[in-house]
Amino acid sequence: EAGVAQSPRYKIIEKRQSVAFWCNPISGHATLYWYQQILGQGPKLLIQFQNNGVVDDSQLPKDRFSAERLKGVDSTLKIQPAKLEDSAVYLCASILTGGTEAFFGQGTRLTVV
Amino acid sequence: RKEVEQDPGPFNVPEGATVAFNCTYSNSASQSFFWYRQDCRKEPKLLMSVYSSGNEDGRFTAQLNRASQYISLLIRDSKLSDSATYLCVVNLYGNKLVFGAGTILRVKS
C-alpha cells in the first residue's frame, strides 16, 4: 500500500516569497491533517479536513496560510508571504474513516532566509 | 496551560535500563490516547495506543489514568534502537490529534 506522499521534500525561499506544498493521502483516508513541526518541538496542528470540508483550522495563521482539499483527495498548503519563523517541517497525515492510526508523509522541510 | 505536556528530556540511559515517560493532558473530555515514536529527521509513527486497562507490547507498557489525566510509557530492557523522540498524543474529539512536545531518549552502550 502506498503511503502518504508529499512534495517537495525541501524548499528554501526568501522571506516575503510564496510557497506551496502538496500532499496525497493514502487512498480511502477521509481525514487529512497538516502539521507544522519547528525544530525541537512537537507537531502543531494547522488544519484538519474531513473529505473536502474543514473540521478544525483554529491554529492556522489565516493572514498568510491557506489550505484546500477541493476534491476530498489531495491537498495543498500555501504560505504567502513567508516569514523567517515559518521555517519548519510541514507534515501531512491521514486517517482511514473509523480508524485511529495517523499515517504521516515524510514532510517538507522549509527554510525561510 | 498546554493541552498535552510531557516530561522534559533528554533521558540518557544505558542499554538494559528501564525508563518511564509521563504525560498529562488538560481536556478531561479527551477520547483516546497514543504514543508515537519519531526518529531523527523522520516522520512520527504510531508506537501504541493507550487504554485505561493498560496495555503491553513486548518491552513497552502504556498506562492511562483518566482521573488524574495522566498517561505513561514504560520501556524495559532498553536497546540502542529505542533511541528516538517519544510523542504523547491525545485525540480531543473527532480525531483532532494534539501532540506533546516530545521526550528525547538516548540509549547508550
Side-chain angles (χ1 to χ4, degrees):
Chain A
E1 180 183 80
V4 177
Q6 287 190 247
S7 67
R9 288 292 310 279
Y10 305 93
K11 191 74 177 178
I12 301 174
I13 61 172
E14 295 183 349
K15 58 184 179 183
R16 292 187 291 274
Q17 284 188 323
S18 302
V19 65
F21 313 129
W22 176 81
C23 171
N24 194 17
I26 295 172
S27 178
H29 284 203
T31 303
L32 183 149
Y33 309 86
W34 283 102
Y35 284 88
Q36 178 194 60
Q37 187 171 26
I38 292 171
L39 187 65
Q41 300 181 17
K44 170 189 167 186
L45 180 64
L46 294 176
I47 189 166
Q48 177 184 350
F49 291 96
Q50 179 71 20
N51 296 309
N52 61 348
V54 175
V55 174
D56 189 294
D57 63 357
S58 57
Q59 295 195 89
L60 186 73
K62 298 180 186 64
D63 57 334
R64 298 186 300 107
F65 285 65
S66 63
E68 59 183 17
R69 192 185 184 198
L70 293 176
K71 296 182 179 179
V73 181
D74 57 346
S75 175
T76 56
L77 176 69
K78 296 179 182 178
I79 308 175
Q80 180 180 12
K83 294 185 175 181
L84 295 177
E85 59 260 37
D86 298 332
S87 294
V89 176
Y90 291 84
L91 292 162
C92 180
S94 66
I95 290 183
L96 181 66
T97 301
T100 57
E101 180 177 358
F103 292 87
F104 283 81
Q106 293 181 300
T108 296
R109 187 173 299 273
L110 173 68
T111 303
V112 182
V113 297
Chain B
R1 183 183 172 187
K2 291 183 180 178
E3 289 176 306
V4 180
E5 296 201 65
Q6 294 187 239
D7 278 350
F11 283 61
N12 296 301
V13 303
E15 278 186 289
T18 296
V19 62
F21 304 139
N22 302 316
C23 171
T24 57
Y25 60 96
S26 59
N27 190 327
S28 59
S30 299
Q31 298 178 346
S32 50
F33 310 88
F34 310 91
W35 285 100
Y36 276 69
R37 170 187 169 136
Q38 186 171 28
D39 292 309
C40 188
R41 302 180 77 87
K42 299 285 189 180
E43 71 276 20
K45 292 184 179 179
L46 179 67
L47 177 65
M48 58 198 305
S49 301
V50 189
Y51 305 112
S52 298
S53 54
N55 49 304
E56 188 173 309
D57 183 2
R59 298 180 292 107
F60 298 81
T61 301
Q63 295 273 359
L64 166 65
N65 184 322
R66 282 191 180 270
S68 302
Q69 295 179 206
Y70 169 93
I71 304 159
S72 66
L73 177 68
L74 182 77
I75 305 176
R76 291 181 300 278
D77 189 23
S78 298
K79 311 291 185 191
L80 293 174
S81 57
D82 294 334
S83 297
T85 297
Y86 291 83
L87 297 159
C88 177
V89 184
V90 174
N91 176 0
L92 291 185
Y93 52 82
N95 272 342
K96 179 179 178 179
L97 300 180
V98 178
F99 284 71
T103 301
I104 297 172
L105 172 64
R106 298 184 185 134
V107 182
K108 303 193 173 183
S109 58

